[in-house]
Amino acid sequence: MSGIQRIILVNSSRLLREMLHSVFGKAEHLQVVREVGDQEESPAAIEELEAEWLVISLPLDMGLPDWVDRYISKHPFTRLLAVSTDCSKVKMKWLEAHEENLEDLSLNDLIHILESDPNDLEPLRSSSF
């Protein structure tokens, strides 16, 4: 496990943002450095903070926003975690070619993923926790 993993929370649902902030705040190696209510503001936050993680809401169609690949390619050390509003589905993406869908993760699983060294993220399976 590496040092502190900085997180930018991007979510249109203030309730989900606050819940995730609370959960991540209890983890020893996670720090929420910014909360953004609109995904349109996230590119500027990425540019400014260069956080290790960007946590966004997973759209109902399970697709990621168009800007994700562009910003991940410009910021290869930023990883994306998209969480469904009911927290039952998670999509991870990093370094363009790496994308994974995970289902039925516990909060401990989610925290484990966020605290992990990025070099240990290949491949992740929810059954490995």
Side-chain angles (χ1 to χ4, degrees):
M1 181 172 319
S2 61
I4 300 294
Q5 299 291 303
R6 295 168 305 136
I7 300 170
I8 299 171
L9 288 176
V10 181
N11 193 298
S12 56
S13 166
R14 191 184 72 162
L15 182 60
L16 183 56
R17 240 184 9 252
E18 289 175 358
M19 187 267 308
L20 290 172
H21 191 128
S22 176
V23 168
F24 298 156
K26 294 176 184 175
E28 187 175 334
H29 298 283
L30 301 178
Q31 177 186 13
V32 176
V33 293
R34 171 130 349 130
E35 290 185 40
V36 178
D38 182 356
Q39 287 189 12
E40 299 296 320
E41 299 172 29
S42 51
I46 294 169
E47 292 285 336
E48 178 186 340
L49 299 168
E50 296 186 11
E52 287 79 21
W53 286 98
L54 182 65
V55 178
I56 69 170
S57 296
L58 184 61
L60 294 176
D61 68 0
M62 300 294 288
L64 296 175
D66 294 336
W67 55 264
V68 168
D69 284 335
R70 186 171 57 251
Y71 284 94
I72 286 178
S73 67
K74 288 172 78 175
H75 303 277
F77 297 106
T78 298
R79 287 141 359 240
L80 176 91
L81 186 83
V83 181
S84 65
T85 53
D86 66 357
C87 297
S88 67
K89 293 179 178 47
V90 173
K91 183 174 273 198
M92 293 183 4
K93 185 156 183 118
W94 64 102
L95 293 177
E96 288 189 57
H98 298 92
E99 184 172 324
E100 189 163 346
N101 294 312
L102 302 171
E103 295 187 17
D104 301 321
L105 295 177
S106 71
L107 285 176
N108 285 337
D109 294 341
L110 185 62
I111 289 170
H112 173 77
I113 290 168
L114 292 168
E115 288 182 332
S116 295
D117 185 299
N119 297 322
D120 296 336
L121 290 176
E122 296 184 70
L124 278 174
R125 300 282 177 249
S126 55
S127 60
S128 67
F129 295 109

